[in-house]
Amino acid sequence: MDDRKLESPSTNLRYVPYESSKEAIYLSSIRQLISRDLSEPYSIYVYRYFLYQWGDLCFMTLDAQENLLGVVVSKLEPHRGGPLRGYIAMLAVKEEHRGKGIATKLVRMAIDAMIERDADEIALETEVTNSAAMKLYERLGFLRSKRLHRYYLNGNTAFRFVLYLKESAAAAAMSYDDQYEDGEPQLPPSA
């Protein structure tokens, strides 16, 4: 048994990594769950982009009947030629199962998997109106790094959150932020 497959005896929940061999079973459920919760209308190709390349960084919560209750979809790759950056693209838990620690467990599993693969940092975005998600990420050590105005297709603004896993990544981010504000190079004041 994969050591990342965990069963909670009190609730009979299982936390399992996504397996591409079970796409026919789970992909439709993943899409339905995420489309109910997130404001972005992702196409099948977006899901496949993440799941085919980084399926080992995506985790699901299943009940005793194998129903999908929660999912986190992530990736890991070099960021702008610098740090190895993990990215949490999507997180959703069925409404009737929220408040039970499922989202926290899923995000921790994704973080742990990225740490195992030597990630320097992990980033994500969430709508400024999603206070539950912001509290979750802040409890896990993520810091708000930037406000992204009208980031989503629905016109909502987002916060970018970053979890620095290595001191070198935090120092590089501080240096980068000093040079760039709102994505534009900052020129020194003229004399």
Side-chain angles (χ1 to χ4, degrees), residues 9-173:
S10 62
T11 57
N12 228 10
L13 300 180
R14 290 187 318 121
Y15 294 84
V16 298
Y18 175 81
E19 296 176 41
S20 59
S21 63
K22 296 185 178 179
E23 176 182 329
I25 298 169
Y26 293 116
L27 185 56
S28 177
S29 297
I30 290 171
R31 290 182 70 199
Q32 287 174 3
L33 179 58
I34 290 172
S35 68
R36 269 190 231 122
D37 282 352
L38 302 185
S39 60
E40 295 293 281
Y42 297 113
S43 76
I44 186 72
Y45 303 107
V46 173
Y47 292 97
R48 287 184 172 148
Y49 167 77
F50 285 99
L51 296 172
Y52 285 4
Q53 295 183 75
W54 300 282
D56 59 329
L57 297 176
C58 302
F59 298 92
M60 304 180 301
T61 306
L62 305 173
D63 67 11
Q65 292 76 42
E66 298 292 304
N67 296 311
L68 181 71
L69 304 182
V71 65
V72 63
V73 177
S74 309
K75 72 175 187 170
L76 179 66
E77 61 186 1
H79 179 67
R80 299 183 183 186
L84 189 58
R85 176 181 271 188
Y87 181 70
I88 297 176
M90 303 170 218
L91 172 67
V93 174
K94 280 191 173 180
E95 191 169 357
E96 62 270 23
H97 293 280
R98 293 181 189 161
K100 299 176 182 177
I102 292 172
T104 300
K105 179 70 177 170
L106 288 168
V107 173
R108 283 190 173 145
M109 290 176 77
I111 290 169
D112 290 346
M114 290 184 231
I115 289 171
E116 286 175 19
R117 291 177 60 181
D118 205 30
D120 296 304
E121 63 189 29
I122 301 170
L124 61 93
E125 293 85 25
T126 191
E127 291 189 31
V128 298
T129 57
N130 192 343
S131 58
M134 290 190 292
K135 286 177 188 174
L136 163 71
Y137 295 125
E138 288 171 341
R139 272 196 322 268
L140 292 172
F142 284 82
L143 304 172
R144 292 183 196 187
S145 74
K146 187 180 280 189
R147 186 179 184 100
L148 305 164
H149 295 283
R150 300 183 55 80
Y151 180 77
Y152 292 104
L153 290 176
N154 65 5
N156 285 352
T157 297
F159 280 119
R160 175 163 298 135
F161 283 80
V162 180
L163 175 63
Y164 297 106
L165 302 170
K166 297 179 182 172
E167 208 170 298
S168 58

